[in-house]
PDB file of all heavy atoms in Angstrom:
ATOM      1  N   LEU I   1      16.431   5.371  15.350  1.00  0.00           N
ATOM      2  CA  LEU I   1      16.261   4.183  14.465  1.00  0.00           C
ATOM      3  C   LEU I   1      14.991   4.162  13.710  1.00  0.00           C
ATOM      4  O   LEU I   1      14.688   3.256  12.979  1.00  0.00           O
ATOM      5  CB  LEU I   1      16.401   2.918  15.311  1.00  0.00           C
ATOM      6  CG  LEU I   1      17.705   2.723  16.069  1.00  0.00           C
ATOM      7  CD1 LEU I   1      17.627   1.432  16.900  1.00  0.00           C
ATOM      8  CD2 LEU I   1      18.865   2.646  15.096  1.00  0.00           C
ATOM      9  N   ALA I   2      14.169   5.208  13.918  1.00  0.00           N
ATOM     10  CA  ALA I   2      12.793   5.195  13.328  1.00  0.00           C
ATOM     11  C   ALA I   2      12.875   5.673  11.819  1.00  0.00           C
ATOM     12  O   ALA I   2      13.597   6.616  11.515  1.00  0.00           O
ATOM     13  CB  ALA I   2      11.873   6.093  14.126  1.00  0.00           C
ATOM     14  N   ALA I   3      12.079   5.043  10.993  1.00  0.00           N
ATOM     15  CA  ALA I   3      11.843   5.468   9.615  1.00  0.00           C
ATOM     16  C   ALA I   3      10.675   4.593   9.122  1.00  0.00           C
ATOM     17  O   ALA I   3      10.406   3.542   9.685  1.00  0.00           O
ATOM     18  CB  ALA I   3      13.091   5.157   8.805  1.00  0.00           C
ATOM     19  N   PRO I   4       9.964   5.079   8.105  1.00  0.00           N
ATOM     20  CA  PRO I   4       8.780   4.355   7.666  1.00  0.00           C
ATOM     21  C   PRO I   4       9.112   2.907   7.250  1.00  0.00           C
ATOM     22  O   PRO I   4       8.284   2.004   7.471  1.00  0.00           O
ATOM     23  CB  PRO I   4       8.302   5.203   6.441  1.00  0.00           C
ATOM     24  CG  PRO I   4       8.720   6.571   6.806  1.00  0.00           C
ATOM     25  CD  PRO I   4      10.060   6.394   7.473  1.00  0.00           C
ATOM     26  N   ASP I   5      10.271   2.639   6.688  1.00  0.00           N
ATOM     27  CA  ASP I   5      10.548   1.261   6.285  1.00  0.00           C
ATOM     28  C   ASP I   5      10.987   0.440   7.479  1.00  0.00           C
ATOM     29  O   ASP I   5      10.653  -0.751   7.512  1.00  0.00           O
ATOM     30  CB  ASP I   5      11.732   1.262   5.237  1.00  0.00           C
ATOM     31  CG  ASP I   5      12.912   2.135   5.641  1.00  0.00           C
ATOM     32  OD1 ASP I   5      12.642   3.283   6.020  1.00  0.00           O
ATOM     33  OD2 ASP I   5      14.014   1.684   5.572  1.00  0.00           O
ATOM     34  N   ILE I   6      11.627   0.991   8.460  1.00  0.00           N
ATOM     35  CA  ILE I   6      12.045   0.239   9.612  1.00  0.00           C
ATOM     36  C   ILE I   6      10.785  -0.081  10.469  1.00  0.00           C
ATOM     37  O   ILE I   6      10.708  -1.195  11.078  1.00  0.00           O
ATOM     38  CB  ILE I   6      13.028   1.079  10.504  1.00  0.00           C
ATOM     39  CG1 ILE I   6      14.271   1.412   9.668  1.00  0.00           C
ATOM     40  CG2 ILE I   6      13.404   0.306  11.750  1.00  0.00           C
ATOM     41  CD1 ILE I   6      15.058   0.223   9.161  1.00  0.00           C
ATOM     42  N   LEU I   7       9.834   0.772  10.551  1.00  0.00           N
ATOM     43  CA  LEU I   7       8.636   0.585  11.384  1.00  0.00           C
ATOM     44  C   LEU I   7       7.510  -0.159  10.683  1.00  0.00           C
ATOM     45  O   LEU I   7       6.405  -0.309  11.231  1.00  0.00           O
ATOM     46  CB  LEU I   7       8.144   1.916  11.895  1.00  0.00           C
ATOM     47  CG  LEU I   7       9.088   2.717  12.779  1.00  0.00           C
ATOM     48  CD1 LEU I   7       8.422   4.022  13.256  1.00  0.00           C
ATOM     49  CD2 LEU I   7       9.614   1.907  13.915  1.00  0.00           C
ATOM     50  N   GLY I   8       7.726  -0.580   9.428  1.00  0.00           N
ATOM     51  CA  GLY I   8       6.703  -1.385   8.763  1.00  0.00           C
ATOM     52  C   GLY I   8       5.695  -0.631   7.962  1.00  0.00           C
ATOM     53  O   GLY I   8       4.764  -1.254   7.388  1.00  0.00           O
ATOM     54  N   ILE I   9       5.807   0.685   7.930  1.00  0.00           N
ATOM     55  CA  ILE I   9       4.822   1.530   7.211  1.00  0.00           C
ATOM     56  C   ILE I   9       4.939   1.284   5.720  1.00  0.00           C
ATOM     57  O   ILE I   9       3.931   1.081   5.017  1.00  0.00           O
ATOM     58  CB  ILE I   9       5.007   3.004   7.567  1.00  0.00           C
ATOM     59  CG1 ILE I   9       4.760   3.214   9.089  1.00  0.00           C
ATOM     60  CG2 ILE I   9       4.084   3.850   6.748  1.00  0.00           C
ATOM     61  CD1 ILE I   9       5.057   4.613   9.547  1.00  0.00           C
ATOM     62  N   ASN I  10       6.177   1.275   5.194  1.00  0.00           N
ATOM     63  CA  ASN I  10       6.340   0.993   3.805  1.00  0.00           C
ATOM     64  C   ASN I  10       5.880  -0.404   3.396  1.00  0.00           C
ATOM     65  O   ASN I  10       5.262  -0.622   2.268  1.00  0.00           O
ATOM     66  CB  ASN I  10       7.795   1.199   3.386  1.00  0.00           C
ATOM     67  CG  ASN I  10       8.270   2.616   3.307  1.00  0.00           C
ATOM     68  OD1 ASN I  10       7.432   3.529   3.597  1.00  0.00           O
ATOM     69  ND2 ASN I  10       9.464   2.901   2.980  1.00  0.00           N
ATOM     70  N   VAL I  11       6.161  -1.382   4.244  1.00  0.00           N
ATOM     71  CA  VAL I  11       5.723  -2.733   3.971  1.00  0.00           C
ATOM     72  C   VAL I  11       4.205  -2.875   4.003  1.00  0.00           C
ATOM     73  O   VAL I  11       3.629  -3.593   3.208  1.00  0.00           O
ATOM     74  CB  VAL I  11       6.387  -3.766   4.949  1.00  0.00           C
ATOM     75  CG1 VAL I  11       5.937  -5.131   4.712  1.00  0.00           C
ATOM     76  CG2 VAL I  11       7.888  -3.650   4.914  1.00  0.00           C
ATOM     77  N   GLY I  12       3.582  -2.097   4.923  1.00  0.00           N
ATOM     78  CA  GLY I  12       2.131  -2.068   4.898  1.00  0.00           C
ATOM     79  C   GLY I  12       1.582  -1.529   3.592  1.00  0.00           C
ATOM     80  O   GLY I  12       0.596  -2.091   3.017  1.00  0.00           O
ATOM     81  N   ALA I  13       2.175  -0.504   3.094  1.00  0.00           N
ATOM     82  CA  ALA I  13       1.725   0.054   1.814  1.00  0.00           C
ATOM     83  C   ALA I  13       2.001  -0.892   0.657  1.00  0.00           C
ATOM     84  O   ALA I  13       1.217  -1.048  -0.270  1.00  0.00           O
ATOM     85  CB  ALA I  13       2.473   1.375   1.535  1.00  0.00           C
ATOM     86  N   SER I  14       3.142  -1.610   0.752  1.00  0.00           N
ATOM     87  CA  SER I  14       3.465  -2.633  -0.321  1.00  0.00           C
ATOM     88  C   SER I  14       2.489  -3.760  -0.339  1.00  0.00           C
ATOM     89  O   SER I  14       2.028  -4.159  -1.395  1.00  0.00           O
ATOM     90  CB  SER I  14       4.893  -3.141  -0.070  1.00  0.00           C
ATOM     91  OG  SER I  14       5.882  -2.140  -0.109  1.00  0.00           O
ATOM     92  N   LEU I  15       2.121  -4.261   0.847  1.00  0.00           N
ATOM     93  CA  LEU I  15       1.129  -5.357   0.956  1.00  0.00           C
ATOM     94  C   LEU I  15      -0.159  -4.946   0.358  1.00  0.00           C
ATOM     95  O   LEU I  15      -0.821  -5.691  -0.425  1.00  0.00           O
ATOM     96  CB  LEU I  15       0.978  -5.770   2.396  1.00  0.00           C
ATOM     97  CG  LEU I  15      -0.153  -6.794   2.659  1.00  0.00           C
ATOM     98  CD1 LEU I  15       0.063  -8.066   1.910  1.00  0.00           C
ATOM     99  CD2 LEU I  15      -0.263  -7.058   4.160  1.00  0.00           C
ATOM    100  N   ALA I  16      -0.611  -3.723   0.649  1.00  0.00           N
ATOM    101  CA  ALA I  16      -1.864  -3.217   0.079  1.00  0.00           C
ATOM    102  C   ALA I  16      -1.797  -3.082  -1.435  1.00  0.00           C
ATOM    103  O   ALA I  16      -2.720  -3.409  -2.146  1.00  0.00           O
ATOM    104  CB  ALA I  16      -2.192  -1.819   0.692  1.00  0.00           C
ATOM    105  N   MET I  17      -0.640  -2.657  -1.936  1.00  0.00           N
ATOM    106  CA  MET I  17      -0.459  -2.570  -3.413  1.00  0.00           C
ATOM    107  C   MET I  17      -0.485  -3.956  -4.059  1.00  0.00           C
ATOM    108  O   MET I  17      -1.126  -4.123  -5.122  1.00  0.00           O
ATOM    109  CB  MET I  17       0.893  -1.862  -3.706  1.00  0.00           C
ATOM    110  CG  MET I  17       0.881  -0.341  -3.461  1.00  0.00           C
ATOM    111  SD  MET I  17       0.037   0.569  -4.791  1.00  0.00           S
ATOM    112  CE  MET I  17       1.177   0.324  -6.122  1.00  0.00           C
ATOM    113  N   VAL I  18       0.202  -4.911  -3.462  1.00  0.00           N
ATOM    114  CA  VAL I  18       0.183  -6.239  -3.977  1.00  0.00           C
ATOM    115  C   VAL I  18      -1.242  -6.827  -3.998  1.00  0.00           C
ATOM    116  O   VAL I  18      -1.660  -7.512  -4.947  1.00  0.00           O
ATOM    117  CB  VAL I  18       1.122  -7.175  -3.177  1.00  0.00           C
ATOM    118  CG1 VAL I  18       0.965  -8.614  -3.513  1.00  0.00           C
ATOM    119  CG2 VAL I  18       2.555  -6.734  -3.375  1.00  0.00           C
ATOM    120  N   LEU I  19      -1.967  -6.560  -2.873  1.00  0.00           N
ATOM    121  CA  LEU I  19      -3.350  -6.990  -2.804  1.00  0.00           C
ATOM    122  C   LEU I  19      -4.202  -6.315  -3.913  1.00  0.00           C
ATOM    123  O   LEU I  19      -5.027  -6.987  -4.492  1.00  0.00           O
ATOM    124  CB  LEU I  19      -3.902  -6.682  -1.423  1.00  0.00           C
ATOM    125  CG  LEU I  19      -5.322  -7.224  -1.097  1.00  0.00           C
ATOM    126  CD1 LEU I  19      -5.324  -8.720  -1.189  1.00  0.00           C
ATOM    127  CD2 LEU I  19      -5.737  -6.748   0.282  1.00  0.00           C
ATOM    128  N   ALA I  20      -3.944  -5.069  -4.192  1.00  0.00           N
ATOM    129  CA  ALA I  20      -4.683  -4.371  -5.245  1.00  0.00           C
ATOM    130  C   ALA I  20      -4.516  -4.977  -6.575  1.00  0.00           C
ATOM    131  O   ALA I  20      -5.375  -5.199  -7.350  1.00  0.00           O
ATOM    132  CB  ALA I  20      -4.296  -2.912  -5.235  1.00  0.00           C
ATOM    133  N   VAL I  21      -3.217  -5.313  -6.896  1.00  0.00           N
ATOM    134  CA  VAL I  21      -2.892  -5.984  -8.145  1.00  0.00           C
ATOM    135  C   VAL I  21      -3.502  -7.358  -8.208  1.00  0.00           C
ATOM    136  O   VAL I  21      -4.044  -7.813  -9.254  1.00  0.00           O
ATOM    137  CB  VAL I  21      -1.353  -6.024  -8.364  1.00  0.00           C
ATOM    138  CG1 VAL I  21      -1.039  -6.817  -9.617  1.00  0.00           C
ATOM    139  CG2 VAL I  21      -0.768  -4.611  -8.408  1.00  0.00           C
ATOM    140  N   PHE I  22      -3.446  -8.101  -7.117  1.00  0.00           N
ATOM    141  CA  PHE I  22      -3.955  -9.443  -7.013  1.00  0.00           C
ATOM    142  C   PHE I  22      -5.520  -9.434  -7.312  1.00  0.00           C
ATOM    143  O   PHE I  22      -6.075 -10.297  -7.980  1.00  0.00           O
ATOM    144  CB  PHE I  22      -3.717 -10.013  -5.659  1.00  0.00           C
ATOM    145  CG  PHE I  22      -4.339 -11.406  -5.407  1.00  0.00           C
ATOM    146  CD1 PHE I  22      -3.817 -12.535  -6.064  1.00  0.00           C
ATOM    147  CD2 PHE I  22      -5.348 -11.523  -4.556  1.00  0.00           C
ATOM    148  CE1 PHE I  22      -4.377 -13.758  -5.847  1.00  0.00           C
ATOM    149  CE2 PHE I  22      -5.918 -12.775  -4.290  1.00  0.00           C
ATOM    150  CZ  PHE I  22      -5.471 -13.879  -4.958  1.00  0.00           C
ATOM    151  N   LEU I  23      -6.209  -8.386  -6.750  1.00  0.00           N
ATOM    152  CA  LEU I  23      -7.666  -8.293  -6.923  1.00  0.00           C
ATOM    153  C   LEU I  23      -8.049  -7.687  -8.288  1.00  0.00           C
ATOM    154  O   LEU I  23      -9.220  -7.665  -8.650  1.00  0.00           O
ATOM    155  CB  LEU I  23      -8.232  -7.456  -5.824  1.00  0.00           C
ATOM    156  CG  LEU I  23      -8.117  -8.082  -4.379  1.00  0.00           C
ATOM    157  CD1 LEU I  23      -8.672  -7.043  -3.389  1.00  0.00           C
ATOM    158  CD2 LEU I  23      -8.858  -9.322  -4.269  1.00  0.00           C
ATOM    159  N   GLY I  24      -7.019  -7.218  -9.063  1.00  0.00           N
ATOM    160  CA  GLY I  24      -7.277  -6.655 -10.347  1.00  0.00           C
ATOM    161  C   GLY I  24      -7.942  -5.261 -10.342  1.00  0.00           C
ATOM    162  O   GLY I  24      -8.675  -4.921 -11.254  1.00  0.00           O
ATOM    163  N   SER I  25      -7.636  -4.515  -9.321  1.00  0.00           N
ATOM    164  CA  SER I  25      -8.252  -3.192  -9.189  1.00  0.00           C
ATOM    165  C   SER I  25      -7.678  -2.232 -10.249  1.00  0.00           C
ATOM    166  O   SER I  25      -6.601  -2.450 -10.783  1.00  0.00           O
ATOM    167  CB  SER I  25      -8.005  -2.555  -7.792  1.00  0.00           C
ATOM    168  OG  SER I  25      -6.603  -2.338  -7.624  1.00  0.00           O
ATOM    169  N   ASP I  26      -8.358  -1.150 -10.449  1.00  0.00           N
ATOM    170  CA  ASP I  26      -7.915  -0.096 -11.468  1.00  0.00           C
ATOM    171  C   ASP I  26      -6.656   0.492 -10.915  1.00  0.00           C
ATOM    172  O   ASP I  26      -6.517   0.787  -9.717  1.00  0.00           O
ATOM    173  CB  ASP I  26      -9.035   0.973 -11.557  1.00  0.00           C
ATOM    174  CG  ASP I  26      -8.762   1.914 -12.686  1.00  0.00           C
ATOM    175  OD1 ASP I  26      -7.604   2.347 -12.848  1.00  0.00           O
ATOM    176  OD2 ASP I  26      -9.683   2.231 -13.439  1.00  0.00           O
ATOM    177  N   SER I  27      -5.712   0.692 -11.819  1.00  0.00           N
ATOM    178  CA  SER I  27      -4.409   1.193 -11.405  1.00  0.00           C
ATOM    179  C   SER I  27      -4.527   2.558 -10.801  1.00  0.00           C
ATOM    180  O   SER I  27      -3.648   2.972  -9.954  1.00  0.00           O
ATOM    181  CB  SER I  27      -3.469   1.282 -12.594  1.00  0.00           C
ATOM    182  OG  SER I  27      -3.992   2.124 -13.643  1.00  0.00           O
ATOM    183  N   ARG I  28      -5.533   3.339 -11.160  1.00  0.00           N
ATOM    184  CA  ARG I  28      -5.731   4.665 -10.555  1.00  0.00           C
ATOM    185  C   ARG I  28      -6.085   4.617  -9.061  1.00  0.00           C
ATOM    186  O   ARG I  28      -5.875   5.651  -8.385  1.00  0.00           O
ATOM    187  CB  ARG I  28      -6.868   5.444 -11.322  1.00  0.00           C
ATOM    188  CG  ARG I  28      -6.416   5.833 -12.744  1.00  0.00           C
ATOM    189  CD  ARG I  28      -7.592   6.405 -13.522  1.00  0.00           C
ATOM    190  NE  ARG I  28      -8.644   5.455 -13.708  1.00  0.00           N
ATOM    191  CZ  ARG I  28      -9.846   5.673 -14.381  1.00  0.00           C
ATOM    192  NH1 ARG I  28     -10.007   6.904 -14.868  1.00  0.00           N
ATOM    193  NH2 ARG I  28     -10.687   4.748 -14.527  1.00  0.00           N
ATOM    194  N   SER I  29      -6.524   3.503  -8.625  1.00  0.00           N
ATOM    195  CA  SER I  29      -6.930   3.356  -7.220  1.00  0.00           C
ATOM    196  C   SER I  29      -5.767   2.801  -6.391  1.00  0.00           C
ATOM    197  O   SER I  29      -5.883   2.731  -5.134  1.00  0.00           O
ATOM    198  CB  SER I  29      -8.149   2.498  -7.023  1.00  0.00           C
ATOM    199  OG  SER I  29      -7.825   1.151  -7.425  1.00  0.00           O
ATOM    200  N   HIS I  30      -4.616   2.457  -7.025  1.00  0.00           N
ATOM    201  CA  HIS I  30      -3.530   1.834  -6.298  1.00  0.00           C
ATOM    202  C   HIS I  30      -3.015   2.722  -5.209  1.00  0.00           C
ATOM    203  O   HIS I  30      -2.610   2.219  -4.151  1.00  0.00           O
ATOM    204  CB  HIS I  30      -2.479   1.415  -7.244  1.00  0.00           C
ATOM    205  CG  HIS I  30      -2.833   0.169  -8.068  1.00  0.00           C
ATOM    206  ND1 HIS I  30      -1.926  -0.389  -8.951  1.00  0.00           N
ATOM    207  CD2 HIS I  30      -3.934  -0.529  -8.121  1.00  0.00           C
ATOM    208  CE1 HIS I  30      -2.559  -1.382  -9.575  1.00  0.00           C
ATOM    209  NE2 HIS I  30      -3.726  -1.558  -9.046  1.00  0.00           N
ATOM    210  N   VAL I  31      -2.913   3.987  -5.447  1.00  0.00           N
ATOM    211  CA  VAL I  31      -2.334   4.890  -4.455  1.00  0.00           C
ATOM    212  C   VAL I  31      -3.190   4.931  -3.179  1.00  0.00           C
ATOM    213  O   VAL I  31      -2.683   5.040  -2.110  1.00  0.00           O
ATOM    214  CB  VAL I  31      -2.142   6.289  -5.048  1.00  0.00           C
ATOM    215  CG1 VAL I  31      -3.485   6.964  -5.350  1.00  0.00           C
ATOM    216  CG2 VAL I  31      -1.320   7.195  -4.105  1.00  0.00           C
ATOM    217  N   TRP I  32      -4.505   4.776  -3.339  1.00  0.00           N
ATOM    218  CA  TRP I  32      -5.372   4.724  -2.194  1.00  0.00           C
ATOM    219  C   TRP I  32      -5.201   3.463  -1.404  1.00  0.00           C
ATOM    220  O   TRP I  32      -5.260   3.523  -0.157  1.00  0.00           O
ATOM    221  CB  TRP I  32      -6.840   4.890  -2.628  1.00  0.00           C
ATOM    222  CG  TRP I  32      -7.100   6.269  -3.177  1.00  0.00           C
ATOM    223  CD1 TRP I  32      -7.222   6.609  -4.484  1.00  0.00           C
ATOM    224  CD2 TRP I  32      -7.274   7.459  -2.420  1.00  0.00           C
ATOM    225  NE1 TRP I  32      -7.459   7.969  -4.577  1.00  0.00           N
ATOM    226  CE2 TRP I  32      -7.463   8.529  -3.334  1.00  0.00           C
ATOM    227  CE3 TRP I  32      -7.225   7.760  -1.028  1.00  0.00           C
ATOM    228  CZ2 TRP I  32      -7.617   9.829  -2.900  1.00  0.00           C
ATOM    229  CZ3 TRP I  32      -7.388   9.014  -0.628  1.00  0.00           C
ATOM    230  CH2 TRP I  32      -7.596  10.079  -1.590  1.00  0.00           C
ATOM    231  N   PHE I  33      -4.906   2.378  -2.083  1.00  0.00           N
ATOM    232  CA  PHE I  33      -4.558   1.112  -1.354  1.00  0.00           C
ATOM    233  C   PHE I  33      -3.285   1.338  -0.575  1.00  0.00           C
ATOM    234  O   PHE I  33      -3.138   0.905   0.614  1.00  0.00           O
ATOM    235  CB  PHE I  33      -4.373  -0.039  -2.305  1.00  0.00           C
ATOM    236  CG  PHE I  33      -5.628  -0.720  -2.754  1.00  0.00           C
ATOM    237  CD1 PHE I  33      -6.391  -0.269  -3.760  1.00  0.00           C
ATOM    238  CD2 PHE I  33      -6.036  -1.887  -2.057  1.00  0.00           C
ATOM    239  CE1 PHE I  33      -7.566  -0.896  -4.154  1.00  0.00           C
ATOM    240  CE2 PHE I  33      -7.151  -2.531  -2.424  1.00  0.00           C
ATOM    241  CZ  PHE I  33      -7.975  -2.044  -3.491  1.00  0.00           C
ATOM    242  N   ALA I  34      -2.297   2.020  -1.225  1.00  0.00           N
ATOM    243  CA  ALA I  34      -1.031   2.289  -0.472  1.00  0.00           C
ATOM    244  C   ALA I  34      -1.236   3.143   0.756  1.00  0.00           C
ATOM    245  O   ALA I  34      -0.653   2.901   1.800  1.00  0.00           O
ATOM    246  CB  ALA I  34      -0.077   3.003  -1.453  1.00  0.00           C
ATOM    247  N   PHE I  35      -2.072   4.199   0.589  1.00  0.00           N
ATOM    248  CA  PHE I  35      -2.391   5.061   1.783  1.00  0.00           C
ATOM    249  C   PHE I  35      -3.028   4.223   2.877  1.00  0.00           C
ATOM    250  O   PHE I  35      -2.654   4.352   4.053  1.00  0.00           O
ATOM    251  CB  PHE I  35      -3.342   6.191   1.354  1.00  0.00           C
ATOM    252  CG  PHE I  35      -2.700   7.228   0.507  1.00  0.00           C
ATOM    253  CD1 PHE I  35      -3.495   7.968  -0.369  1.00  0.00           C
ATOM    254  CD2 PHE I  35      -1.333   7.497   0.482  1.00  0.00           C
ATOM    255  CE1 PHE I  35      -2.919   8.962  -1.162  1.00  0.00           C
ATOM    256  CE2 PHE I  35      -0.770   8.420  -0.296  1.00  0.00           C
ATOM    257  CZ  PHE I  35      -1.544   9.161  -1.148  1.00  0.00           C
ATOM    258  N   GLY I  36      -3.986   3.394   2.505  1.00  0.00           N
ATOM    259  CA  GLY I  36      -4.669   2.588   3.534  1.00  0.00           C
ATOM    260  C   GLY I  36      -3.733   1.614   4.212  1.00  0.00           C
ATOM    261  O   GLY I  36      -3.733   1.503   5.465  1.00  0.00           O
ATOM    262  N   GLY I  37      -2.890   0.932   3.437  1.00  0.00           N
ATOM    263  CA  GLY I  37      -1.925  -0.017   4.035  1.00  0.00           C
ATOM    264  C   GLY I  37      -0.927   0.695   4.961  1.00  0.00           C
ATOM    265  O   GLY I  37      -0.602   0.214   6.021  1.00  0.00           O
ATOM    266  N   ALA I  38      -0.420   1.918   4.525  1.00  0.00           N
ATOM    267  CA  ALA I  38       0.504   2.641   5.335  1.00  0.00           C
ATOM    268  C   ALA I  38      -0.160   3.087   6.621  1.00  0.00           C
ATOM    269  O   ALA I  38       0.452   3.053   7.715  1.00  0.00           O
ATOM    270  CB  ALA I  38       1.064   3.808   4.534  1.00  0.00           C
ATOM    271  N   ALA I  39      -1.397   3.592   6.538  1.00  0.00           N
ATOM    272  CA  ALA I  39      -2.113   4.080   7.701  1.00  0.00           C
ATOM    273  C   ALA I  39      -2.344   2.979   8.729  1.00  0.00           C
ATOM    274  O   ALA I  39      -2.110   3.118   9.922  1.00  0.00           O
ATOM    275  CB  ALA I  39      -3.419   4.715   7.281  1.00  0.00           C
ATOM    276  N   ILE I  40      -2.782   1.790   8.300  1.00  0.00           N
ATOM    277  CA  ILE I  40      -3.038   0.653   9.189  1.00  0.00           C
ATOM    278  C   ILE I  40      -1.750   0.229   9.801  1.00  0.00           C
ATOM    279  O   ILE I  40      -1.721  -0.043  11.051  1.00  0.00           O
ATOM    280  CB  ILE I  40      -3.710  -0.486   8.363  1.00  0.00           C
ATOM    281  CG1 ILE I  40      -5.107  -0.101   7.945  1.00  0.00           C
ATOM    282  CG2 ILE I  40      -3.805  -1.686   9.250  1.00  0.00           C
ATOM    283  CD1 ILE I  40      -5.756  -1.065   6.977  1.00  0.00           C
TER     284      ILE I  40
END
């Protein structure tokens, strides 16, 4: 039953991406937000 979306990894990356847009960060840094959210 394991998968990144089932275990919350994708949602963590999504939250970080939403936070990046909310804070108005440069779009080039969005992928790093996604990595950080997925890792956490």
